[in-house]
Amino acid sequence: SLKCAKFLATVLRASWHPVLATLQAVDDVVQQMGSSSSSSSSGGVYTIVMPAALGGSAADLLRHDLQALLDLVRRAGPGAYLWVARALAMLGSSVSGAPVPSDISDVFAEQDATPASDRPAFALAQLRALVVTTGDGDNAGDAVLMDCEAWRMITQHLLATAAFADTPAPIRSQACSSLADIVLTAMDLVARSDVLEGEDGERFRRLVESGDAQRRVISPLAQLMTGDIAGYDEPDRSRFKRLIEVRRVALDTLHRLLQAAGHSVKQAWGVVFDIVQSVFDVQDDDAESAKQPGLLMRGVFPC
């Protein structure tokens, strides 16, 4: 599966979904079996065999291969990473139950819901890994972060998962933390936009100079606070809620962002103040924060 995906990265399009679904199933088996030298599903469909020469665990090998696959997808350009983002959004929806916009759901066939568990969701982990890369000086996710369509799809799905009323608590927490990491990584990209190269870098610099880039980066936090997720119509919109644990993450992320890069925030202060103002909005789905909104603010911005 991995070898085929690497070879056909730019032409798989909607076929990324079964590829990633297979990897998700393999990841689930590895998570259940632990660091065994070989493991397989109960039906014998998915099998992981560790080459003796490589050593290590099945989880380590899968993690290495997934990282290599995402590296290739990013280098292959929007023809690959946009389709991967769409497929991961569909896989994530099958675990959380959160809705996906029609421009994504219409591309893929109907799929059965995946039973949720206490383990991190594979799809959310890979969406984060697509843009939040590791390693000293590794900015491999820059191209994806600069792509407006990729940014919309990734943040939109994480926002919907976090705000969806029936999302299991572990998956909601993962969606919130993944979104926070992506927002902070994007703000770091804004801060070093002057060293970006190529046409994409020049285009992104113009967004930074106009203030649109900062507004785009901070906007997901505003949507976390209000529960008003862009790109959804009724009846999906009514299924999103304003939850205190989600709003706390939004405020904490804003606090961290301002501490790290508040001096560089210019045209985006309107969004910042809208987020703060929304703390005191009495229309709240969470009784605790509705009664004493000041406690939520003081818990994140101590004086």
Side-chain angles (χ1 to χ4, degrees), residues 52-136:
L54 291 180
S57 69
D60 291 338
L61 179 61
L62 180 60
R63 190 179 305 112
H64 176 272
D65 283 346
L66 284 171
Q67 181 175 333
L69 179 63
L70 292 180
D71 285 343
L72 182 142
V73 165
R74 287 188 290 261
R75 290 196 300 272
Y81 63 66
L82 288 177
W83 281 102
V84 167
R86 291 186 185 100
L88 288 172
M90 283 299 295
L91 288 175
S93 174
S94 72
V95 175
S96 67
V100 292
S102 59
D103 65 329
I104 294 179
S105 61
D106 290 349
V107 175
F108 303 101
E110 289 291 330
Q111 56 181 327
D112 296 329
T114 302
S117 71
D118 291 337
R119 295 188 302 274
F122 172 86
L124 299 190
Q126 301 315 310
L127 275 177
R128 177 189 180 279
L130 192 60
V131 293
V132 181
T133 55
T134 58
D136 295 336

Side-chain angles (χ1 to χ4, degrees), residues 10-289:
T10 59
V11 296
L12 279 174
R13 298 173 64 84
S15 295
W16 271 110
H17 187 274
V19 170
L20 292 167
T22 300
L23 293 174
Q24 177 178 254
V26 174
D27 179 71
D28 188 57
V29 171
V30 171
Q31 293 290 337
Q32 292 184 50
M33 301 300 293
S35 300
S36 57
S37 59
S38 65
S39 56
S40 63
S41 70
S42 58
V45 178
Y46 305 107
T47 303
I48 300 173
V49 178
M50 288 295 298
L54 291 180
S57 69
D60 291 338
L61 179 61
L62 180 60
R63 190 179 305 112
H64 176 272
D65 283 346
L66 284 171
Q67 181 175 333
L69 179 63
L70 292 180
D71 285 343
L72 182 142
V73 165
R74 287 188 290 261
R75 290 196 300 272
Y81 63 66
L82 288 177
W83 281 102
V84 167
R86 291 186 185 100
L88 288 172
M90 283 299 295
L91 288 175
S93 174
S94 72
V95 175
S96 67
V100 292
S102 59
D103 65 329
I104 294 179
S105 61
D106 290 349
V107 175
F108 303 101
E110 289 291 330
Q111 56 181 327
D112 296 329
T114 302
S117 71
D118 291 337
R119 295 188 302 274
F122 172 86
L124 299 190
Q126 301 315 310
L127 275 177
R128 177 189 180 279
L130 192 60
V131 293
V132 181
T133 55
T134 58
D136 295 336
D138 185 359
N139 301 314
D142 286 0
V144 185
L145 283 173
M146 288 187 290
D147 189 308
C148 294
E149 180 65 9
W151 174 263
R152 180 191 66 81
M153 281 194 294
I154 293 171
T155 58
Q156 186 180 55
H157 178 65
L158 293 173
L159 283 164
T161 304
F164 182 57
D166 297 328
T167 297
I171 305 302
R172 190 189 313 282
S173 177
Q174 183 188 5
C176 288
S177 63
S178 297
L179 184 62
D181 290 343
I182 289 172
V183 165
L184 293 173
T185 301
M187 196 63 182
D188 175 71
L189 177 64
V190 170
R192 54 183 174 81
S193 61
D194 57 332
V195 300
L196 297 176
E197 300 177 349
E199 293 182 5
D200 289 342
E202 177 60 31
R203 189 159 43 245
F204 189 73
R205 265 194 300 278
R206 289 197 293 270
L207 288 176
V208 172
E209 292 168 359
S210 69
D212 290 342
Q214 289 186 347
R215 284 189 288 269
R216 189 178 79 180
V217 169
I218 301 176
S219 175
L221 302 181
Q223 294 180 63
L224 272 187
M225 289 297 294
T226 63
D228 186 13
I229 312 304
Y232 291 89
D233 299 318
E234 294 295 350
D236 289 335
R237 291 176 69 90
S238 62
R239 302 164 75 188
F240 299 131
K241 304 298 180 182
R242 294 156 53 101
L243 304 171
I244 188 169
E245 65 269 27
V246 173
R247 305 182 78 200
R248 185 176 288 116
V249 171
L251 284 175
D252 177 69
T253 306
L254 178 63
H255 186 206
R256 292 162 61 191
L257 185 151
L258 292 177
Q259 282 189 315
H263 61 282
S264 65
V265 175
K266 296 178 182 178
Q267 293 93 332
W269 280 109
V271 183
V272 172
F273 291 134
D274 285 345
I275 293 173
V276 175
Q277 177 62 40
S278 67
V279 175
F280 302 95
D281 188 341
V282 296
Q283 297 180 351
D284 204 317
D285 295 307
D286 190 290
E288 181 181 347
S289 59

